[in-house]
Amino acid sequence: MIASKPVRLLSLAIVALVVLAGVRGIVGGIGSSGDLFEGAGADSVGAGKRTPGVVAYVLDGDTVEVTTPNGRDVRVRLLGISAPELPHPGKPGECYGSPSTRHLRQLLSVGTQVTLVSDPTQDDVDTYGRWLRYVEVGGRDIGRAQIRSGAAAARDSSDPVSRHAAYAQVEDQARERGAGMWTACR
């Protein structure tokens, strides 16, 4: 018996969805370096996934380069914080940009073992291709440490990170103490 045209179309639509889901699952399982299941499932996609790494260098007060277990260097933008900018060609730096970067370099010296933690409420990478992650050292939240010292602020956005409330509270305390940029940049 030959199925009616609506039944065939529905069947084709279901097959297309199944194929699309399968392709998305395969592509989602490929790390940005093209390796299937890069980092043995410990990397970027998913709810609170944790990826070990080693600090290669600190770019500024909220961005680091980390080497993953497979030897790949990735740029990581610390989630939930905003540090003052360093000067760039044609753009002046912001007040406390250099001290913020120095502080992060103290917290994350080259060779430091870190854990990169994704946030299920956030994108995996930003428009610049940087991984968006919390960075931890021995369970210590480095973004929170930057805020506590007055080297960064809690980043306020329309899509706040899971740790935003805690970060905002730490920022309020840093402001009250006049820590870092909260005194230097008045």
Side-chain angles (χ1 to χ4, degrees):
M1 175 177 177
I2 297 176
S4 67
K5 187 173 184 174
V7 170
R8 284 187 305 219
L9 288 174
L10 180 60
S11 297
L12 282 173
I14 290 170
V15 168
L17 286 172
V18 169
V19 168
L20 181 61
V23 167
R24 184 172 181 202
I26 290 170
V27 171
I30 296 177
S32 46
S33 68
D35 296 331
L36 187 60
F37 305 115
E38 174 185 281
D43 83 10
S44 53
V45 183
K49 297 261 181 157
R50 303 174 77 78
T51 305
V54 177
V55 174
Y57 63 93
V58 171
L59 284 82
D60 60 24
D62 54 25
T63 309
V64 296
E65 187 94 2
V66 174
T67 304
T68 62
N70 66 359
R72 180 163 177 257
D73 286 337
V74 293
R75 278 220 174 140
V76 179
R77 173 68 166 73
L78 276 70
L79 272 174
I81 75 169
S82 182
E85 293 298 319
L86 291 171
H88 296 286
K91 289 175 117 178
E94 296 176 337
C95 179
Y96 217 73
S98 292
S100 174
T101 302
R102 280 194 304 275
H103 186 260
L104 189 57
R105 284 184 179 137
Q106 290 173 347
L107 296 171
L108 298 175
S109 59
V110 171
T112 301
Q113 300 280 332
V114 296
T115 301
L116 307 176
V117 183
S118 66
D119 185 327
T121 69
Q122 302 298 306
D123 290 334
D124 203 39
V125 296
D126 67 9
T127 55
Y128 302 105
R130 299 176 297 187
W131 286 15
L132 300 173
R133 300 287 187 281
Y134 300 111
V135 176
E136 297 177 354
V137 175
R140 182 180 187 201
D141 182 339
I142 299 303
R144 184 182 183 119
Q146 278 288 86
I147 296 168
R148 183 180 295 113
S149 71
R155 185 168 187 192
D156 191 19
S157 67
S158 59
D159 191 18
V161 298
S162 296
R163 299 180 185 183
H164 179 71
Y167 282 8
Q169 183 178 19
V170 171
E171 180 185 320
D172 289 344
Q173 294 166 355
R175 283 176 182 263
E176 288 171 16
R177 288 191 329 274
M181 67 180 171
W182 304 118
T183 296
C185 300
R186 285 187 180 183

